[in-house]
């Protein structure tokens, strides 16, 4: 039997970071993710690591850049407004080709918004978490177990492709408790960080980490090289889960906590004889477009459910080239839909399909 | 009635003032809710006070309607379960202390925030020590950072420091959520007993959450009073 613990999602991310060799954490408290800092403040000294509460989110992300440049596995975490503050630093980290993990335990926005769960930072995470031509590798856990396992994946992908990775979760996943098994974590062999600025000792040429280029052509080339790596990430690291998609007339698309609500609704709909399935993106960037395109060959309707006013729904339309109708159901501002609410939407669509 | 006699065995008089404290996420709110319903069913006039200044979600406020329907008084911090980060300690809490002195049948349960959340008890230190409270330490041996007897003891002493009060007994709330088996509880019993021994405190109850049954044959080997409880935590999916 494995080593089982009952954990909050936030604690699972923190413990998984340590298990995956993260020795540096720089954060700043904000509800509903503060348990990550709180936990690491206790755990990091036990493993010889450093957990530091910076003076602000801006300071924390720049400390992450420094630690990442030295070759360390490093993480920072925040919630929506705090992630906005980190945006400039994230862009610089991309420009320097540095690996790190950034956690966003989303809360209601815009502005200070609220402290209840939300998925309204989807656009920010997948389209523009900072200026310039850039992408982050974005994972969306849907259970406390995945908060742990996808933290490991985020670190591995970040190191392998020299890119920041983001764990995009929400307050409900951060705060809720589920059993976690820590013995199933997988470790992949990591390439040596030959680019790290960790002291050459007179034995090699000096490394420089920098995002400023004097010659526009050099900058263009560096961006093109980065986008070639993005293509590799798209080819190798796209992940999703399919539930009862094969015979589904209606394919729901939902990620994170919303996918858990949708699964309850789908089981209830199936019990009523409605053929509905679910595609759950596990990586939000890269987006599992091919899986959706394939489902569009057999499905009659796509229904997207999010804790926002409709953001991922655009990516679903693009993925299937608008080949099928795509509807949206969501709640926002920190309000979560019940499984009954989602079921009612499924029934409404199913009624329209039979007419 | 069994719950009153059991608590009274460790407590000089009828339980009038119970403080539920312990490690973050150990299940304090659920224990406080279960005790509130049980003591109410046993004929006590119960008031449940949510003193949690730490947790943003999954609060006793989720059970406000069912508590009211049962006739249990509930003192909810203003703005609990809203977008306010730190619920304040409402003035309403003050009125329970004279009530406890005047009303023989009154029982007050404090549901305290985890770990350093116990600092909120300091606000009522004078009344709590004057009236005499029974402070119960809820621990779950499957929670990270309190998995060993030594770690649980350290956590207990920290909370005593924050609250400036001493614990009277332990509630063993060892569980893995909905998936908990009898074996999961039994496996951790030696660790929990070692913790109780280190703390020199009795284990008042070992909880068994429905649908797991206290009559489960596997429990017959255990030398600890079992308390059947329900899970009142709000389900979101």
């Amino acid at each position: 039997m494995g080593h089982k613990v009952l954990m909050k999602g936030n604690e699972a991310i923190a413990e998984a970071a340590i298990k995956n060799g993260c020795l540096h954490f720089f954060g700043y408290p904000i509800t509903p993710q503060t348990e990550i800092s709180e936990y690491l403040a206790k755990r990091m000294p036990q493993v010889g690591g450093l957990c530091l509460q910076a003076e602000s989110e801006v300071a924390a992300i720049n400390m992450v850049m420094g630690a990442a440049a030295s070759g360390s596995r490093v993480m920072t975490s925040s919630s929506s407004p705090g992630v906005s503050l980190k945006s400039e630093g994230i862009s610089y980290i991309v420009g320097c080709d540095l690996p790190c993990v950034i956690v966003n335990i989303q809360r209601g926005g815009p502005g200070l918004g609220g402290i209840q769960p939300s998925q309204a930072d989807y656009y920010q995470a997948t389209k523009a978490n900072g200026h310039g031509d850039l992408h982050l590798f974005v994972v969306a856990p849907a259970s406390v177990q995945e908060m742990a396992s996808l933290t490991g994946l985020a670190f591995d992908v970040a190191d392998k492709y020299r890119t920041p990775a983001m764990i995009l979760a929400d307050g409900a996943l951060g705060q809720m408790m589920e059993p976690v098994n820590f013995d199933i974590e997988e470790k992949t062999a990591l390439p040596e960080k030959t680019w790290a600025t960790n002291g050459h000792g007179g034995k090699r040429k000096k490394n420089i980490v920098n995002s400023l280029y004097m010659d526009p052509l050099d900058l263009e080339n560096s961006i093109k090289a980065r986008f070639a790596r993005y293509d590799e990430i798209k080819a190798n690291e796209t992940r999703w889960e399919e539930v009862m998609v094969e015979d589904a007339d209606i394919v729901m698309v939902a990620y994170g906590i919303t996918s858990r609500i949708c699964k309850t609704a789908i089981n209830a709909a199936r019990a009523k004889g409605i053929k509905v399935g679910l595609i759950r993106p596990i990586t939000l960037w890269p987006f599992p477009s091919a899986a959706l395109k394939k489902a569009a060959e057999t499905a009659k309707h796509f229904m997207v459910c999010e804790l926002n006013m409709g953001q991922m729904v655009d990516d679903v339309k693009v993925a299937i080239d608008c080949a099928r109708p795509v509807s949206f159901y969501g709640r926002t501002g920190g309000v979560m839909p019940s499984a009954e609410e989602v079921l009612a939407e499924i029934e409404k669509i199913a009624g329209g399909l039979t007419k | 009635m069994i719950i009153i006699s059991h608590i009274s065995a460790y407590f000089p008089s009828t339980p009038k003032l119970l403080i539920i404290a312990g490690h973050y996420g150990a299940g304090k709110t659920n224990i406080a809710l279960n005790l509130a319903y049980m003591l109410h069913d046993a004929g006590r006039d119960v008031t449940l006070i949510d003193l949690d200044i730490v947790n943003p979600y999954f609060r006793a406020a989720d059970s406000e309607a069912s508590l009211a329907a049962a006739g249990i008084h509930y003192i909810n911090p203003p703005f609990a379960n809203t977008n306010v980060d730190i619920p304040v300690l409402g003035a309403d809490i003050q009125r329970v202390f004279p009530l406890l002195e005047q009303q023989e049948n009154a029982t007050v349960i404090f549901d305290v925030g985890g770990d350093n959340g116990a600092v909120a008890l300091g606000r009522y230190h004078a009344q709590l020590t004057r009236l005499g409270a029974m402070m119960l330490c809820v621990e779950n041996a499957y929670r990270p950072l309190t998995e060993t007897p030594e770690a649980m003891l350290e956590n207990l002493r920290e909370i005593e420091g924050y609250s400036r009060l001493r614990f009277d007994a332990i509630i063993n709330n060892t569980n893995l959520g909905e998936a908990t088996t009898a074996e999961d509880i039994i496996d951790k019993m030696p660790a929990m007993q070692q913790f109780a021994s280190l703390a020199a405190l009795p284990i008042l109850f070992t909880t068994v959450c429905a649908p797991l049954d206290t009559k489960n044959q596997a429990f017959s080997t255990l030398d600890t009073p079992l308390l059947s409880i329900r899970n009142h935590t709000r389900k979101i999916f």
Side-chain angles (χ1 to χ4, degrees), chain A:
Chain A
M1 197 183 74
H3 175 217
K4 280 189 286 187
V5 279
L6 184 68
M7 281 189 151
K8 295 197 171 222
N10 286 335
E11 295 167 336
I13 287 176
E15 183 61 33
I18 286 177
K19 290 269 196 292
N20 281 280
C22 171
L23 285 176
H24 292 96
F25 176 86
F26 305 98
Y28 187 79
I30 179 171
T31 307
Q33 65 78 50
T34 304
E35 290 83 2
I36 298 175
S37 288
E38 178 105 18
Y39 189 94
L40 288 172
K42 286 181 183 149
R43 282 285 280 135
M44 277 300 192
Q46 295 173 1
V47 295
L50 172 75
C51 171
L52 191 143
Q53 180 173 318
E55 65 269 37
S56 72
E57 290 87 347
V58 177
I61 193 69
N62 283 288
M63 291 173 186
V64 167
M65 178 154 64
S70 77
S72 171
R73 278 203 156 178
V74 56
M75 184 169 86
T76 185
S77 70
S78 192
S79 181
S80 307
V83 174
S84 292
L85 283 165
K86 290 181 193 294
S87 292
E88 183 203 39
I90 292 171
S91 174
Y92 276 63
I93 289 170
V94 172
C96 294
D97 291 316
L98 293 174
C100 67
V101 172
I102 301 143
V103 183
N104 182 359
I105 305 295
Q106 298 167 88
R107 55 188 257 176
L112 210 45
I115 64 169
Q116 300 295 327
S118 163
Q119 295 179 322
D121 303 347
Y122 177 90
Y123 279 153
Q124 183 191 48
T126 62
K127 313 287 180 225
N129 214 329
H131 61 278
D133 281 318
L134 64 81
H135 290 292
L136 308 181
F137 177 67
V138 184
V139 292
S143 65
V144 177
Q145 183 70 56
E146 276 193 350
M147 293 287 253
S149 59
L150 294 181
T151 296
L153 178 71
F155 274 111
D156 288 347
V157 169
D159 275 356
K160 190 172 174 189
Y161 302 95
R162 291 183 65 178
T163 177
M166 173 169 278
I167 300 167
L168 189 71
D170 64 87
L173 278 166
Q175 296 293 325
M176 73 184 200
M177 291 170 76
E178 286 181 328
V180 183
N181 190 330
F182 266 104
D183 287 347
I184 63 162
E185 300 304 308
E186 282 175 38
K187 281 287 218 177
T188 52
L190 299 173
E192 190 195 347
K193 293 175 178 174
T194 53
W195 46 263
T197 53
N198 52 1
H200 53 72
K203 294 192 175 77
R204 59 161 169 80
K205 276 179 71 181
K206 67 181 176 188
N207 288 329
I208 296 173
V209 168
N210 173 40
S211 71
L212 174 66
Y213 290 81
M214 294 301 162
D215 184 339
L217 277 176
D218 286 346
L219 177 56
E220 186 187 46
N221 287 335
S222 79
I223 294 167
K224 283 183 171 172
R226 193 172 302 122
F227 269 69
R229 291 207 305 282
Y230 289 157
D231 285 341
E232 284 180 52
I233 295 176
K234 283 182 187 173
N236 303 333
E237 309 295 349
T238 308
R239 284 166 172 79
W240 70 95
E241 181 195 10
E242 293 187 16
V243 183
M244 296 183 280
V245 172
E246 303 77 27
D247 68 337
D249 293 329
I250 302 166
V251 170
M252 295 200 71
V253 189
Y255 69 93
I257 193 70
T258 316
S259 71
R260 300 287 290 271
I261 299 167
C262 290
K263 280 182 183 177
T264 305
I266 286 168
N267 286 331
R270 284 269 171 180
K272 292 184 171 197
I274 303 169
K275 287 183 178 172
V276 52
L278 171 77
I279 294 180
R280 172 174 75 93
I282 296 171
T283 55
L284 299 180
W285 197 93
F287 193 67
S289 301
L292 289 159
K293 204 169 171 63
K294 184 167 170 287
E297 292 169 11
T298 49
K300 295 174 184 158
H301 188 104
F302 284 77
M303 176 184 159
V304 180
C305 190
E306 304 174 69
L307 299 183
N308 57 44
M309 292 300 285
Q311 298 187 13
M312 182 177 70
V313 63
D314 292 346
D315 284 340
V316 173
K317 287 175 186 168
V318 170
I320 66 167
D321 286 334
C322 296
R324 296 283 179 268
V326 180
S327 62
F328 174 79
Y329 184 74
R331 299 294 299 266
T332 194
V335 183
M336 309 247 289
S338 65
E340 292 75 28
E341 259 176 272
V342 177
L343 176 62
E345 278 300 305
I346 294 170
E347 288 181 301
K348 214 187 285 177
I349 293 161
L353 291 180
T354 54
K355 270 172 202 162

